[in-house]
Amino acid sequence: EIDLEKIRLEQVRFHMDDAWAGIDYDIDIGSFLLDADEVDLKKRSVKINVLELETALVNIRDYETAEGYVKKPPKNEIDTTAFNTGNWKVTSRKISLDDCRFVMNTATRPAYENEFDPSHMDVSAINLWAEDLRIDMDTLTGTIKNMSARERSGFVLKKLAADVSVSPNASICNNLYLETNRSRIYRYYAMHYGRVPDFKDYVNKVVMEADFKNATVDYRDVAYFAPVIRQYPAVLSVNGKVSGSVDSLVGKKLAITDGNSRLTGDITMVGLPDIENTFINFQNGEIYTNKKAGYKYFPELRNFRTMDLDRLAFIHYRGNFVGY
């Protein structure tokens, strides 16, 4: 039996450097505070008032093993064991992280410059303030009041706030506010999946659901994760609802503009991310654009000589489109 009310730790350091196996774990904690009402192992109940973590560092390095050591190949499966099989009841009134950092390097090659590299992650200045965390059965709920962080690539999460729910079948952010270097997204975003391993095939198996209102998306923020976007510089204002997996997206009552062009309507796109082989069904559509925007997204038009496109001032299209 444990009767636990408060734990405070200061300047904790745990380092395990295993050059023989080729993996190091470094964990440093500046300050840790746990203030609890109840920790009952028999009742499987944990009630926390405050959990605070300051200046913590987790650093993981994976590298070549010593000669003669045979490293087991990493398992390619994701653990599908049900979450919280013991049916613990866990609540926390407040959780905070202050100036924490997570580093993981699992490749010997240099990190990709100016883009997110899952083999060379370095997330610093992690700050989190969350309230009313609850784990009930297989679902975690809570309210993120503010979360911020900076990634090695240059990507900055200035603020994330949302009512969050995470279960084995869905991750949902309601009342969402997301601000990055140059983008802002509001309202609602969710991911639905049959089970967690579906994320290994995100394009085909994870069904997204989003409701955007006056969202601003800057191509430079997206390009950290999809570098090809740098070919299409644009800052988009987005309104409307989007649902489906990446390879089968449906947009309803969309209104998208980059300042020069404006697109509205309902659109279904099947076949992404291979845009050359994506089937498009665009209904109740309307497009306003101009010569400048045409050259921006389709620079090959500058070499088009059948018509004098330079004489085009504005282009307005209303109607439907079905095809590739």
Side-chain angles (χ1 to χ4, degrees), residues 12-303:
V12 178
R13 180 175 183 267
F14 170 80
H15 286 199
M16 185 190 74
D17 298 340
D18 189 349
W20 177 255
I23 188 165
D24 299 345
Y25 292 98
D26 297 345
I27 300 174
D28 298 338
I29 297 175
S31 175
F32 173 85
L33 171 65
L34 172 66
D35 186 339
D37 277 343
E38 178 184 69
V39 178
D40 193 316
L41 304 185
K42 289 185 176 180
K43 291 165 55 178
R44 298 182 178 180
S45 175
V46 178
K47 297 179 181 178
I48 299 171
N49 283 318
V50 177
L51 178 63
E52 296 179 350
L53 187 62
E54 297 181 4
T55 58
L57 165 67
V58 176
N59 188 0
I60 301 171
R61 294 180 296 275
D62 195 346
Y63 49 93
E64 292 295 326
T65 63
E67 186 176 353
Y69 182 90
V70 180
K71 180 180 286 191
K72 293 181 180 179
K75 292 183 178 180
N76 203 30
E77 303 89 20
I78 296 177
D79 187 0
T80 58
T81 305
F83 175 66
N84 194 21
T85 54
N87 196 19
W88 282 76
K89 302 288 185 182
V90 180
T91 61
S92 180
R93 185 174 58 83
K94 178 185 175 183
I95 293 180
S96 70
L97 304 179
D98 182 16
D99 194 24
C100 297
R101 184 181 178 192
F102 174 79
V103 182
M104 184 169 71
N105 291 290
T106 59
T108 55
R109 59 164 174 78
Y112 302 141
E113 291 188 9
N114 303 318
E115 68 178 87
F116 178 75
D117 185 345
S119 296
H120 292 282
M121 289 191 288
D122 187 345
V123 187
S124 60
I126 302 173
N127 296 287
L128 170 68
W129 171 23
E131 294 183 350
D132 301 324
L133 176 75
R134 178 179 296 273
I135 299 175
D136 194 2
M137 300 294 286
D138 63 0
T139 301
L140 182 151
T141 59
T143 299
I144 298 177
K145 294 292 187 179
N146 189 18
M147 181 177 178
S148 60
R150 177 185 297 274
E151 215 280 323
R152 172 205 60 81
S153 59
F155 179 81
V156 177
L157 176 63
K158 290 184 176 180
K159 181 175 182 178
L160 169 65
D163 296 324
V164 176
S165 171
V166 180
S167 76
N169 304 111
S171 298
I172 300 170
C173 292
N174 205 2
N175 300 315
L176 172 67
Y177 176 79
L178 172 65
E179 182 178 357
T180 63
N181 305 48
R182 304 172 183 88
S183 304
R184 290 183 180 88
I185 296 176
Y186 309 88
R187 213 163 198 172
Y188 180 87
Y189 179 72
M191 295 178 291
H192 301 273
Y193 35 90
R195 57 196 189 113
V196 173
D198 287 350
F199 279 92
K200 295 181 68 176
D201 188 9
Y202 189 96
V203 169
N204 300 292
K205 293 185 177 180
V206 177
V207 176
M208 301 168 290
E209 186 179 357
D211 185 359
F212 297 126
K213 183 177 182 181
N214 300 326
T216 302
V217 181
D218 192 304
Y219 80 100
R220 287 169 289 188
D221 290 337
V222 181
Y224 287 115
F225 306 94
V228 68
I229 295 295
R230 292 193 177 97
Q231 301 178 44
Y232 309 101
V235 180
L236 302 179
S237 176
V238 183
N239 287 274
K241 296 182 178 181
V242 179
S243 61
S245 56
V246 173
D247 69 336
S248 183
L249 273 181
V250 177
K252 294 290 187 182
K253 298 181 179 178
L254 289 178
I256 303 172
T257 180
D258 67 354
N260 289 310
S261 304
R262 177 178 172 83
L263 178 149
T264 62
D266 302 329
I267 189 168
T268 300
M269 304 179 74
V270 179
L272 290 173
D274 183 3
I275 190 62
E276 297 295 333
N277 293 291
T278 295
F279 181 77
I280 301 170
N281 188 344
F282 184 38
Q283 300 292 319
N284 306 313
E286 195 161 7
I287 299 174
Y288 291 89
T289 188
N290 56 35
K291 173 188 66 178
K292 180 180 178 182
Y295 287 155
K296 177 179 178 180
Y297 294 108
F298 306 101
E300 61 271 19
L301 290 178
R302 295 184 182 276
N303 301 320

